[in-house]
Amino acid sequence: MEDFNSWKDLLNPEFYIKLGGFWLILFIIFAETGLFVGFFLPGDSLLFVSGIYSIDIISATFGSTGSDFLDTFILASAVALAAIIGNEVGYYFGRKAGSTLYKKQDTWLFKKKYLYQAHDFFEKNGALAIIMARFLPVVRTFTPIVAGIVKMDKKDFLRDNIIGAVLWSFLLIFAGHYLDKLFIDQFGIDLKKKLELIIIVIVLITTVPVIIKFLFGKKEDFSKYENHKFDEDEE
């Protein structure tokens, strides 16, 4: 088992993989939306690095199937299921109690501005937001809650939730697995030894657009949400 050495370990996907393996990965993916406190945990990079270790992860948990593809498929399928369940929990929380979040005081785990940003993202992109949000850190944590608050149709949400979760998990996990094999076979480069660089690149790709929008985008007047009321009986 890995030892916790510093807060930096919390940002390192390899730490979680070696600490808790298969089951911890699933919990983190679920927590990102199901508990809406996991936005600070590695999401995209965790899936990519999990793909690199997919054979080891499945072998240690269930025993390898003997097929790289099937082992990776099992991992991606389990992650997709955890992501789907997490989003559904976030959605139903939004339907039942989400409107009260606009009155909740900020804490180090919860910032209302993230909820506002997710609301604007959802309003701008509609149902497609559920799929797109999967690939955006922070936004994917709060978008299902917003979908619940605005009473998005349950069946439509489930459909888009499944599509987004499958695309997100399969693309990143299979990319990690097969790019690792490609780099070893073609260039003699073991991506396991370049994880810090990989994580930096993934973080930049996923967060730079969000940062640019925050710094240079039009400033939103979030006060418009402060007294907004949601009809609890609205469907």
Side-chain angles (χ1 to χ4, degrees), residues 80-178:
L81 181 60
I84 291 169
I85 295 173
N87 257 21
E88 289 296 319
V89 171
Y91 171 80
Y92 279 99
F93 178 84
R95 286 185 71 94
K96 298 298 183 181
S99 60
T100 63
L101 291 177
Y102 287 108
K103 301 177 182 178
K104 180 179 173 63
Q105 295 299 314
D106 283 355
T107 67
W108 75 280
L109 284 176
F110 174 81
K111 303 293 184 184
K112 279 194 291 187
K113 67 178 182 180
Y114 298 147
L115 189 63
Y116 299 150
Q117 289 166 354
H119 188 286
D120 283 351
F121 181 78
F122 183 86
E123 289 295 314
K124 180 179 179 180
N125 297 285
L128 186 60
I130 306 302
I131 298 173
M132 296 170 58
R134 279 293 179 190
F135 298 87
L136 296 173
V138 179
V139 173
R140 65 169 162 260
T141 300
F142 294 97
T143 296
I145 300 174
V146 170
I149 292 174
V150 301
K151 301 295 191 295
M152 179 179 178
D153 182 78
K154 297 177 183 178
K155 293 181 180 179
D156 289 345
F157 178 83
L158 178 60
R159 177 199 63 211
D160 297 334
N161 180 19
I162 293 173
I163 293 173
V166 170
L167 286 175
W168 184 55
S169 59
F170 275 74
L171 283 175
L172 288 173
I173 289 176
F174 272 87
H177 178 72
Y178 284 104

Side-chain angles (χ1 to χ4, degrees), residues 52-70:
I52 295 176
Y53 283 97
S54 59
I55 308 304
D56 297 331
I57 292 170
I58 296 301
S59 296
T61 308
F62 307 108
S64 177
T65 64
S67 165
D68 285 9
F69 176 82
L70 284 179

Side-chain angles (χ1 to χ4, degrees), residues 185-199:
D185 294 341
Q186 298 296 321
F187 309 108
I189 299 175
D190 185 354
L191 293 186
K192 293 185 181 69
K193 298 179 180 179
K194 306 289 184 180
L195 290 183
E196 289 187 4
L197 177 60
I198 291 172
I199 294 168

Side-chain angles (χ1 to χ4, degrees), residues 2 12-19 49 53 192 195 199:
E2 287 284 290
N12 181 6
E14 191 177 24
F15 170 74
Y16 296 101
I17 293 171
K18 293 184 176 181
L19 175 66
V49 176
Y53 283 97
K192 293 185 181 69
L195 290 183
I199 294 168

Side-chain angles (χ1 to χ4, degrees), residues 205-220:
I205 291 174
T206 57
T207 61
V208 164
V210 177
I211 294 174
I212 290 176
K213 179 175 175 57
F214 176 78
L215 293 178
F216 303 106
K218 180 181 178 181
K219 299 300 182 181
E220 297 290 340

Side-chain angles (χ1 to χ4, degrees), residues 30-66:
F30 166 79
E32 252 200 321
T33 51
L35 302 180
F36 56 92
V37 296
F39 58 86
F40 60 89
L41 297 171
D44 303 304
S45 57
L46 176 62
L47 296 195
F48 188 89
V49 176
S50 293
I52 295 176
Y53 283 97
S54 59
I55 308 304
D56 297 331
I57 292 170
I58 296 301
S59 296
T61 308
F62 307 108
S64 177
T65 64

